[in-house]
Amino acid sequence: MAININQEAREFHLTNGKISYIFRVMEKSGQLEHLYYGKGVNHRKSFKHLIEREARPASTNMLEGDYTSSLEHIKQEYPSYGTTDYRYPAHKIIGQHGSHVTNFQYESYHITKGKPALENLPATYTEQEEEAETLEVVLFDKILQCRLILSYSIYTNRSVITRNARFVNLGNETCFLDSAMSTNIDLPDDQFEMVHLNGAWARETHLQAQSLFKGVQSISSSRGASSHIHNPFLALKRKQTTESSGEVFGFSLVYSGNFVGQIEVDTFGVTRVMMGINPFQFKWKLAPGESFQTPECVMVYSDKGLNGMSNTYHALYRERLVRGRWRDKDRPVLINNWEATYFDFDEEKVLAIANTAKELGMELCVLDDGWFGERHDDTSSLGDWFENKQKLPDGIDGLARKIDRLGVKFGLWFEPEMVSKGTKLFSEHPEWVLSTPGRRASHGRNQYVLDFSRPEVVDYIYKLMDSVLEKATISYIKWDMNRYITEAYSSDLEADRQGEVMHRYILGVYQLYERLIHKYPDILFESCAGGGARFDPGMLYYAPQAWTSDNTDAVERLKIQYGASLVYPLSAMGSHVSAIPNHQVGRTTPLHTRVNTAYFGTFGYELDITNLTAAEKEEVKEQVRFFKEKRSLIRTGRFYRLLSPFDGNETAWMVVSNDQSEAIVGYYKVLAKPNDKFNRIKLQGLDPDKRYLINNNPVDHFGDELMNIGILLKRNETGYPQDFNSEVFVLKEV
Ligand code: DGJ
């Protein structure tokens, strides 16, 4: 029982027992009215009694003689502005004569099993038809001769509804889309806190929570990438909602470009939530016969707190957003040379690293930035994707072969969307750089952005990358993107299509990814954008993992990884052990804490392992062995946040296997406290009746004990109190 239709009353009830989503067609206006979204309710013949109508003084009304027809007081599915509703609309179309008024009226509906793919855009999917059902509601604006298709998919066994919208111009006149949200919901009250992830370079995904106020509040990006600043995610939680109890509504946009997540609390206490492409600097020309597809918004409802919401996102994104051969496979333990050498390496150095990696049990050696053109610092060579023969006399293929022979896989860094001045690409095709005619082109890290809205640019870069990949055995690609877009203008588009550049750009990026993963299905892609500037669901559709942040300091990472875990599974989070003093913040933390933090992600190293002492090598060998033993659990288990780094000095989290027979707990204490209290952490997600051994200690504990009484943290676990201390506990069912 997923999508129920009352044909006569023209009501739609999407439910899977866990959640319900109800809306209807208004009899007189033919527009859509929202009735309910939240915890599942029983289906009944009609939900007419949920309709709220009342003549309100000072309101304007759509229909003559009907004083209850003010859209300002009616909850809607996909509202427009200026026909009695004064709030921000879900769409805005400029039609003939410059008008902005629309009137999309119900025409028909269509139900399909499963979930159709979105054209040229990433989206969650199904593998079996029974996994979801999709309702498409078709609306039509007679004056614009424009069709609007609102699409809703409900998963059978997940508390998830996805939404998107598609516009089709069936008329003879051109119109312009000024705004086209992916979703809109009018919730009946405003007793919420807005939770979102804010940051900057090297300080991404910091958790924020604020009570809603009357008025407009939003998160967004206008930078050409989803950005370090705001992640394309927000949640509304009740004040009393905790990690494990209470209501939460999550909204996550499967998109990597400019977005907005906006909440408008009106004066009557209605909360309008919308999410989609940022209308700021967006304008899409819809010529006769053309259509426009919005990205997908994934809406999760949880009555089991924030962690309940996160678990739903984790499972969905891990199982039905990430694609390809790496989706269900353990990821290799990698060594990346970036923080070990930066640009200063040659073949000998890389091979030395690879040799040591082999000795330590690592599986993949990644060569980062600097292998091509004359790239000795960040001032040159992006776009010249030809190996530097001084550094690598036998080329990338020669190096890859030598590393492969050691029994270690080889991975390579690219930054395909960028170009440096002085390159062949730049001199031959200056028109391929995004820049506004007659104006200065701003740089970021000395580099310029290629116009990926042009198919020939995408094609050119594809061929360059393909020629490297065809020759060499490459198992992994780190796809970087190190600056935001400025002076966005494409010399390929007419004046009235310049508002399309940012969206067309990201479609070009998706296109390049699609072509590469199609031709090289065995390559593991890791997306990166100066760390986490495109750590978003859109990227995960192409690259199963993403570099979470350029900040590799263990203490900083606690906040970054904790915040990211609100939406993203551990299998998506690139996490490496780096050198001390840390290169981003200068902090010196013990090796075990750097490792204990990096375990809760895809795990790798990013330091000069050739310089390790014999004792350190033994330690690292053991860490790699331990991670390999636990990585399936970490990748596939249920993740629980136990103590928040945003609330104090301690952080704790854990992963429990799906059969509850195993778990791994990470506990971190930033500053040491002398003569501290006896401290316990209460675990979660265990089977209350199972008995568990902790770190193979002889005494076993019932799950309920561990969850209600907690694990005792030894005050001086490492012999003496120490700053930046941590412990990992492994639980096994007896
Ligand atoms: C930024 C990335 O996040 C780093 O890991 C590294 O790849 C550099 N770019 C290389 O320029």
Side-chain angles (χ1 to χ4, degrees):
M1 154 137 141
I3 297 173
N4 305 281
I5 317 274
N6 177 337
Q7 308 256 17
E8 204 188 317
R10 299 200 294 188
E11 290 174 6
F12 302 85
H13 178 198
L14 287 71
T15 184
N16 55 17
K18 298 179 189 177
I19 51 173
S20 279
Y21 190 106
I22 308 170
F23 63 98
R24 69 186 278 266
V25 180
M26 290 189 263
E27 295 86 358
K28 294 183 197 158
S29 72
Q31 297 177 354
L32 297 185
E33 175 175 8
H34 178 77
L35 293 178
Y36 174 73
Y37 170 45
K39 195 171 167 70
V41 294
N42 280 315
H43 184 61
R44 49 185 292 156
K45 191 157 174 269
S46 174
F47 288 96
K48 241 187 163 139
H49 58 289
L50 297 182
I51 298 169
E52 299 162 343
R53 288 289 187 283
E54 193 176 270
R56 297 257 188 159
S59 63
T60 48
N61 288 287
M62 265 192 304
L63 308 170
E64 269 182 42
D66 182 345
Y67 301 104
T68 66
S69 64
S70 175
L71 289 173
E72 191 177 6
H73 300 290
I74 296 175
K75 297 177 184 71
Q76 294 159 74
E77 282 301 300
Y78 203 70
S80 64
Y81 161 79
T83 60
T84 71
D85 191 347
Y86 302 94
R87 291 166 292 181
Y88 274 85
H91 69 279
K92 182 176 170 198
I93 303 180
I94 305 298
Q96 292 125 272
H97 321 300
S99 85
H100 65 263
V101 169
T102 62
N103 181 17
F104 281 101
Q105 293 180 300
Y106 174 78
E107 266 196 357
S108 60
Y109 74 87
H110 182 67
I111 293 178
T112 46
K113 292 256 166 236
K115 194 169 175 296
L118 297 192
E119 214 183 316
N120 301 324
L121 278 167
T124 55
Y125 58 90
T126 52
E127 285 198 331
Q128 312 289 329
E129 281 192 339
E130 304 71 51
E131 289 176 24
E133 221 174 3
T134 298
L135 167 70
E136 288 196 337
V137 180
V138 181
L139 304 133
F140 191 64
D141 183 301
K142 290 193 191 101
I143 305 285
L144 286 169
Q145 287 288 300
C146 190
R147 181 178 284 160
L148 165 62
I149 299 129
L150 297 181
S151 176
Y152 305 76
S153 298
I154 179 163
Y155 276 88
T156 316
N157 292 317
R158 306 173 195 266
S159 298
V160 175
I161 288 179
T162 66
R163 282 188 62 177
N164 69 76
R166 192 162 79 247
F167 292 86
V168 189
N169 184 352
L170 298 171
N172 299 318
E173 304 281 342
T174 291
C175 58
F176 290 87
L177 271 178
D178 252 17
S179 168
M181 288 296 118
S182 298
T183 195
N184 179 93
I185 303 229
D186 291 348
L187 295 168
D189 71 87
D190 60 356
Q191 295 306 298
F192 291 109
E193 282 177 0
M194 174 180 171
V195 177
H196 60 102
L197 302 171
N198 168 251
W201 174 79
R203 145 167 93 65
E204 296 88 341
T205 52
H206 279 218
L207 194 67
Q208 309 281 323
Q210 287 94 17
S211 295
L212 296 186
F213 58 84
K214 288 208 163 48
V216 176
Q217 43 241 280
S218 69
I219 51 161
S220 68
S221 169
S222 52
R223 295 163 183 262
S226 49
S227 92
H228 302 96
I229 317 298
H230 287 128
N231 200 268
F233 156 79
L234 68 84
L236 290 179
K237 75 168 194 63
R238 300 293 179 186
K239 284 195 180 69
Q240 63 278 14
T241 292
T242 65
E243 277 291 336
S244 56
S245 69
E247 260 198 326
V248 190
F249 296 85
F251 300 84
S252 163
L253 193 68
V254 187
Y255 191 57
S256 313
N258 291 350
F259 76 94
V260 71
Q262 180 171 295
I263 291 171
E264 181 171 2
V265 180
D266 73 14
T267 195
F268 306 102
V270 171
T271 300
R272 172 168 288 180
V273 193
M274 58 177 73
M275 193 172 254
I277 292 177
N278 194 347
F280 176 61
Q281 295 299 104
F282 169 85
K283 188 177 204 163
W284 195 274
K285 182 176 176 178
L286 214 53
E290 288 185 348
S291 61
F292 182 81
Q293 173 66 60
T294 73
E296 168 171 290
C297 183
V298 176
M299 309 193 303
V300 166
Y301 172 80
S302 162
D303 61 350
K304 303 216 165 33
L306 284 168
N307 219 119
M309 173 196 72
S310 302
N311 284 152
T312 303
Y313 275 121
H314 293 178
L316 177 70
Y317 285 177
R318 198 169 59 214
E319 295 160 10
R320 294 293 181 265
L321 175 64
V322 169
R323 297 175 297 166
R325 300 196 181 153
W326 283 99
R327 185 188 71 183
D328 302 324
K329 280 214 315 221
D330 286 334
R331 312 291 163 69
V333 176
L334 68 80
I335 172 74
N336 179 304
N337 74 308
W338 179 242
E339 289 198 16
T341 65
Y342 294 104
F343 296 101
D344 186 16
F345 62 83
D346 55 15
E347 189 189 81
E348 201 187 332
K349 181 71 198 172
V350 180
L351 285 176
I353 292 175
N355 261 302
T356 312
K358 175 69 188 169
E359 184 193 336
L360 302 178
M362 298 171 190
E363 298 156 307
L364 170 70
C365 176
V366 179
L367 180 57
D368 211 280
D369 195 354
W371 57 268
F372 49 92
E374 289 303 322
R375 181 95 164 156
H376 307 297
D377 53 34
D378 67 13
T379 59
S380 79
S381 304
L382 295 167
D384 278 348
W385 298 109
F386 322 106
E387 61 261 313
N388 180 303
K389 290 278 182 163
Q390 260 103 47
K391 289 184 184 176
L392 308 173
D394 290 337
I396 284 294
D397 48 328
L399 176 66
R401 248 194 324 274
K402 288 175 201 175
I403 292 184
D404 211 52
R405 254 187 252 134
L406 296 173
V408 176
K409 302 278 183 213
F410 177 65
L412 194 61
W413 180 96
F414 283 95
E415 195 175 359
E417 299 151 69
M418 299 292 155
V419 64
S420 310
K421 277 190 178 160
T423 53
K424 184 167 170 284
L425 175 54
F426 193 95
S427 58
E428 283 177 6
H429 291 290
E431 77 286 7
W432 284 3
V433 172
L434 281 177
S435 62
T436 302
R439 307 231 173 237
R440 180 182 48 234
S442 309
H443 74 97
R445 210 194 186 200
N446 307 299
Q447 64 198 47
Y448 301 87
V449 186
L450 287 171
D451 183 357
F452 263 47
S453 75
R454 297 172 80 125
E456 69 272 31
V457 176
V458 173
D459 193 52
Y460 180 93
I461 296 294
Y462 170 77
K463 286 185 180 133
L464 276 184
M465 292 177 78
D466 188 37
S467 65
V468 179
L469 300 177
E470 267 200 328
K471 272 200 298 178
T473 316
I474 291 173
S475 306
Y476 161 107
I477 289 180
K478 178 175 174 185
W479 177 321
D480 207 345
M481 191 276 196
N482 280 297
R483 61 157 291 185
Y484 295 128
I485 296 175
T486 53
E487 293 92 21
Y489 183 97
S490 169
S491 51
D492 197 34
L493 292 173
E494 301 127 49
D496 59 2
R497 286 202 181 268
Q498 292 301 329
E500 302 176 13
V501 174
M502 292 286 211
H503 181 57
R504 284 184 185 272
Y505 174 88
I506 212 72
L507 293 180
V509 172
Y510 291 152
Q511 186 62 37
L512 181 57
Y513 258 116
E514 194 65 49
R515 287 179 73 178
L516 289 168
I517 59 176
H518 183 74
K519 175 141 186 211
Y520 299 101
D522 289 322
I523 292 184
L524 170 62
F525 282 84
E526 176 152 350
S527 77
C528 172
R534 275 200 316 216
F535 196 98
D536 59 59
M539 281 292 131
L540 285 182
Y541 185 67
Y542 304 96
Q545 56 192 60
W547 185 223
T548 321
S549 175
D550 273 356
N551 197 331
T552 55
D553 171 65
V555 175
E556 294 296 314
R557 274 292 182 132
L558 292 176
K559 287 187 172 157
I560 294 167
Q561 292 176 204
Y562 187 98
S565 80
L566 259 270
V567 195
Y568 305 100
L570 299 188
S571 57
M573 286 185 215
S575 52
H576 298 172
V577 180
S578 64
I580 45 166
N582 173 267
H583 295 193
Q584 291 77 39
V585 293
R587 188 177 286 129
T588 296
T589 53
L591 179 58
H592 73 269
T593 291
R594 282 173 276 149
V595 172
N596 288 346
T597 309
Y599 280 154
F600 291 84
T602 60
F603 197 60
Y605 291 78
E606 185 148 345
L607 74 174
D608 194 348
I609 48 175
T610 63
N611 286 339
L612 297 175
T613 62
E616 284 169 337
K617 279 188 179 168
E618 285 313 307
E619 222 179 311
V620 171
K621 252 191 222 169
E622 174 51 26
Q623 293 157 359
V624 172
R625 190 206 58 74
F626 175 81
F627 181 75
K628 285 181 183 169
E629 193 183 285
K630 296 286 165 255
R631 65 180 156 190
S632 295
L633 162 65
I634 290 169
R635 180 174 60 80
T636 61
R638 277 173 90 89
F639 181 75
Y640 293 89
R641 290 177 294 269
L642 305 175
L643 292 172
S644 170
F646 299 101
D647 291 343
N649 194 31
E650 294 163 298
T651 300
W653 49 42
M654 69 186 288
V655 182
V656 184
S657 66
N658 292 313
D659 64 1
Q660 294 170 304
S661 67
E662 253 194 298
I664 178 166
V665 183
Y667 168 79
Y668 314 83
K669 186 167 178 176
V670 177
L671 293 180
K673 235 178 160 184
N675 213 0
D676 201 2
K677 63 175 181 184
F678 289 106
N679 205 359
R680 286 178 186 274
I681 22 168
K682 292 183 185 175
L683 305 187
Q684 284 195 31
L686 301 173
D687 181 331
D689 301 322
K690 281 189 170 152
R691 289 163 176 267
Y692 297 91
L693 288 183
I694 303 173
N695 291 349
N696 283 325
N697 285 333
V699 184
D700 63 66
H701 305 262
F702 278 110
D704 59 1
E705 236 180 86
L706 296 170
M707 294 192 287
N708 296 305
I709 305 174
I711 300 191
L712 180 64
L713 300 160
K714 290 209 186 104
R715 288 188 301 138
N716 296 337
E717 184 66 18
T718 54
Y720 56 92
Q722 188 185 16
D723 282 347
F724 318 128
N725 211 346
S726 67
E727 288 176 68
V728 160
F729 301 93
V730 172
L731 276 69
K732 270 215 176 90
E733 186 187 352
V734 181

